[in-house]
Amino acid sequence: MEDNIALPKTMKQIQAIGDELVKGVNAGDFNQAIMDLGATICRPKNPACEKCPIRSHCLASQQHRQDVLPINIKKKNNQDIHYITGGIYYQDQLYLIKNGPDGLLANLYGCPQYAVESPYTFIEAFKEDTGLEIDVIDHVKDIKHVFSHRTWYMHVYLFRLNSDSKSLYSKKEIDKLPISTAHVKVLKAIYSCLEF
Ligand code: SF4
């Protein structure tokens, strides 16, 4: 499921699937087994797929998407802005954008971000803007950045770009660019996942 599991409509869908699954079996035992699996094997970070008893039924594992799914973005306050923020790499370079001359972070560089619900919607928005194809690789980190009048929640994902682009920068080049404080935090998290 590529939808945000923190949304009520997604929870309803999951509940309906769960209701179907427990028909004719002991629901308590089923729930306990799922909780045990989540606590010991299918952990949010680094799930132990190699010893998972339900691996043969797991689409996330079969499609190598266990480091990305599920999408779990909890929104607490309407004043907050949630972004999917992309650490988009091609070989040893990162894709950055320069902000326009107006607005909060005018003329500063940063990673592309969209106020969307999932990295898969990010892929569509990025393609619409740039014509470029990317694949999501991993969830990096959730970063909170507080401005005087608003708070950004940046859900940072790693994406692989499938072709070269003029907006790619090496680490050396990025070190010389003016980067917003929020995106300095993002870059630090991205560099901790990439070896360049
Ligand atoms: S195979 Fe699927 S259910 Fe099992 S640990 Fe991996 S991601 Fe979780």
Side-chain angles (χ1 to χ4, degrees):
M1 180 171 280
E2 295 176 0
D3 298 320
N4 179 5
I5 61 167
L7 292 178
K9 69 170 186 180
T10 318
M11 285 183 196
K12 265 191 192 166
Q13 287 174 333
I14 295 170
Q15 180 70 52
I17 294 167
D19 289 346
E20 277 301 310
L21 283 174
V22 296
K23 268 185 190 162
V25 300
N26 184 321
D29 288 349
F30 180 86
N31 286 344
Q32 189 59 51
I34 291 293
M35 284 192 290
D36 287 347
L37 187 76
T40 58
I41 292 179
C42 192
R43 303 171 300 246
K45 273 272 161 198
N46 303 321
C49 300
E50 66 288 349
K51 50 182 174 183
C52 178
I54 61 167
R55 187 175 189 179
S56 60
H57 304 283
C58 176
L59 279 179
S61 170
Q62 285 160 27
Q63 297 170 358
H64 306 289
R65 298 203 284 173
Q66 64 269 46
D67 293 326
V68 176
L69 298 173
I71 316 298
N72 187 5
I73 298 176
K74 297 183 179 77
K75 296 183 178 176
K76 291 186 186 139
N77 182 336
N78 284 341
Q79 304 303 318
D80 300 338
I81 307 179
H82 286 259
Y83 289 110
I84 299 291
T85 305
I88 302 172
Y89 69 92
Y90 180 76
Q91 296 172 354
D92 59 352
Q93 295 178 301
L94 274 183
Y95 188 102
L96 295 188
I97 51 166
K98 185 182 180 189
N99 294 318
D102 304 312
L104 193 60
L105 305 175
N107 296 318
L108 297 178
Y109 286 78
C111 295
Q113 57 186 18
Y114 297 98
V116 292
E117 286 288 340
S118 122
Y120 296 99
T121 337
F122 180 104
I123 289 172
E124 289 165 19
F126 185 74
K127 176 146 191 213
E128 210 174 299
D129 270 358
T130 65
L132 295 169
E133 307 254 359
I134 52 175
D135 294 312
V136 61
I137 303 299
D138 202 353
H139 174 231
V140 177
K141 195 177 181 181
D142 295 326
I143 294 175
K144 178 181 174 183
H145 187 77
V146 181
F147 295 91
S148 56
H149 55 304
R150 72 182 69 157
T151 302
W152 281 7
Y153 290 87
M154 294 177 288
H155 307 281
V156 185
Y157 285 80
L158 206 56
F159 296 89
R160 186 179 46 229
L161 181 63
N162 293 330
S163 56
D164 207 348
S165 156
K166 282 181 188 156
S167 300
L168 288 165
Y169 299 87
S170 68
K171 190 167 186 301
K172 246 185 182 175
E173 289 168 326
I174 292 173
D175 286 344
K176 292 183 194 149
L177 292 175
I179 310 274
S180 69
T181 314
H183 282 263
V184 167
K185 292 185 199 171
V186 170
L187 287 172
K188 196 174 162 199
I190 292 167
Y191 286 140
S192 71
C193 293
L194 293 172
E195 288 171 9
F196 60 78

